[in-house]
Amino acid sequence: MANHKLLCNLSFIFLLFFHFHFGTSEIRLNYYSETCPNAEEIIKEQVISLYNKHGNTAVSWIRTLFHDCMVKSCDASLLLESINGIQSEKISSRNMGMRNFKYINTIKDAVESACPLTVSCADIVALSARDGAVMLGGPRIEMKTGRKDSKESHLAEIDASLPNHNDSMMYVLARFQSIGIDVEGTVALLGAHSVGRVHCVNIVDRLYPTVDPTLDPNYAEYLKGRCPHPDPDPTAVEYARNDRDTPMILDNSYYKNLMNHKGLLTVDQELVSNPITSPFVEKMAADNDYFHEQFSKALLVLSENNPLSEEEGEVRTDCRFVNKD
């Protein structure tokens, strides 16, 4: 009898955790099968079209998903502009350098033409990241839909929610763990640094006044050539790439570089120097399929963080603004 009560109490606690941690929204595979059956295909076509015109959009979609979903919920709050009392999350220093937001609305317009006021901006963010990863050589994964869009910005919560490039590895792991991503998944998600570029503002601390001793000397010289000043202008086009060999391919070269002391950011190099994360770095460096498998799993967990219910959210007509009452 006592064991039965204990099991009941544990089940109740689990249900409470599930309710509050993951929200009450019903997200599921093929959510739009009846209301907008071509939604995912339309989004994929737009992602491909935009990639063919602007290759960096595929990188932007993955980063947009991360910066949106890590802050409270996958609810497209990141896309909101500053207007009518809303302070946009885009103004946060943690979101510096993010771009291509205008093309989210390009995708939204295509979906709205087929199915007005049906597909959320939050789902467009998630599915664009999924399809963008494919364009970068990553695996295609099935992703649940049915997210709702936030009616408010979460600007005040960004600093406490988004790990920074110079945070300790233990803090980074704790932040990911808070949304259900384990150590293995965290190491895999940071593999997204395999593609794209980083502004010198986030690099110079490792170069000036003295070079970080964990950096390969030749790589440090390359970085100094890309970032020649200790105080770079945040608005200037001063960037360096993490992966110089396959900069637009989502692959395990990132981990190979880390093992050769060519991590671009402090958090990158900490992955290989921390005994908790280093075994996964070694495993992913040796096996690209394993990296892709773990990246896919972690991306799904990230994309399902705390979705809003219909009562809490809405489906915006324009991803930049909440709907007018």
Side-chain angles (χ1 to χ4, degrees):
M1 184 71 176
N3 287 337
H4 177 72
K5 284 184 176 180
L6 177 60
L7 286 173
C8 289
N9 288 336
L10 288 173
S11 298
F12 178 70
I13 291 170
F14 174 78
L15 287 172
L16 281 177
F17 171 80
F18 188 90
H19 176 81
F20 288 108
H21 183 73
F22 294 100
T24 57
S25 173
E26 181 189 1
I27 59 172
R28 62 179 186 272
L29 294 175
N30 303 311
Y31 180 87
Y32 299 110
S33 59
E34 295 183 5
T35 56
C36 191
N38 294 325
E40 294 194 29
E41 187 62 29
I42 293 170
I43 292 169
K44 183 175 76 171
E45 289 174 356
Q46 289 295 314
V47 167
I48 293 172
S49 175
L50 287 165
Y51 174 79
N52 289 333
K53 297 175 184 175
H54 317 281
N56 59 31
T57 53
V59 180
S60 295
W61 305 151
I62 297 175
R63 191 179 180 197
T64 298
L65 180 74
F66 171 72
H67 283 248
D68 184 52
C69 292
M70 283 296 294
V71 183
K72 195 170 183 179
S73 169
C74 288
D75 58 8
S77 61
L78 174 63
L79 306 181
L80 290 171
E81 298 287 355
S82 295
I83 192 172
N84 296 331
I86 289 176
Q87 282 190 296
S88 177
E89 295 176 26
K90 298 174 188 176
I91 67 175
S92 169
S93 60
R94 297 289 173 93
N95 292 328
M96 189 197 78
M98 296 194 68
R99 52 186 177 161
N100 292 321
F101 290 118
K102 62 184 178 182
Y103 296 126
I104 291 281
N105 256 22
T106 299
I107 301 173
K108 175 67 168 172
D109 289 344
V111 176
E112 284 293 305
S113 294
C115 311
L117 205 59
T118 302
V119 180
S120 68
C121 299
D123 277 341
I124 290 173
V125 167
L127 293 172
S128 296
R130 186 267 303 270
D131 296 334
V134 174
M135 302 308 298
L136 296 168
R140 188 183 188 282
I141 55 180
E142 293 300 316
M143 186 172 277
K144 294 179 182 178
T145 45
R147 298 165 188 80
K148 296 298 180 285
D149 300 326
S150 174
K151 300 176 184 178
E152 60 184 6
S153 166
H154 309 313
L155 177 63
E157 300 178 50
I158 289 178
D159 285 354
S161 301
L162 271 179
N164 204 11
H165 64 92
N166 56 3
D167 284 331
S168 71
M169 183 50 58
M170 296 311 296
Y171 179 79
V172 172
L173 291 174
R175 287 304 312 135
F176 278 98
Q177 183 63 50
S178 73
I179 66 165
I181 298 176
D182 60 13
V183 174
E184 189 175 30
T186 300
V187 176
L189 273 185
L190 285 175
H193 290 176
S194 171
V195 292
R197 59 188 189 174
V198 175
H199 198 283
C200 289
V201 166
N202 295 323
I203 303 171
V204 290
D205 284 350
R206 302 191 70 198
L207 302 174
Y208 305 101
T210 57
V211 173
D212 184 333
T214 64
L215 274 174
D216 172 84
N218 291 329
Y219 186 59
E221 285 305 308
Y222 156 73
L223 293 180
K224 279 192 168 185
R226 300 295 302 174
C227 307
H229 311 291
D231 296 305
D233 180 356
T235 64
V237 183
E238 295 184 359
Y239 295 88
R241 294 192 180 278
N242 209 330
D243 181 356
R244 297 167 64 190
D245 297 322
T246 56
M248 292 299 289
I249 299 177
L250 186 65
D251 62 12
N252 66 340
S253 293
Y254 168 74
Y255 303 100
K256 295 175 183 178
N257 288 336
L258 295 186
M259 295 182 69
N260 289 321
H261 303 284
K262 296 179 180 179
L264 188 57
L265 299 170
T266 301
V267 70
D268 295 322
Q269 199 56 50
E270 280 205 22
L271 278 179
V272 75
S273 61
N274 188 292
I276 298 174
T277 53
S278 60
F280 296 113
V281 171
E282 295 174 9
K283 193 172 180 181
M284 291 181 195
D287 190 339
N288 193 57
D289 288 339
Y290 167 68
F291 160 56
H292 278 172
E293 178 185 353
Q294 298 307 317
F295 180 84
S296 298
K297 289 180 181 178
L299 193 72
L300 282 179
V301 175
L302 175 66
S303 74
E304 296 175 11
N305 181 38
N306 195 28
L308 302 180
S309 67
E310 289 192 18
E311 293 75 24
E312 296 169 317
E314 63 181 8
V315 175
R316 294 183 207 138
T317 55
D318 185 319
C319 292
R320 300 170 297 173
F321 313 109
V322 298
N323 293 339
K324 296 180 180 178
D325 295 330

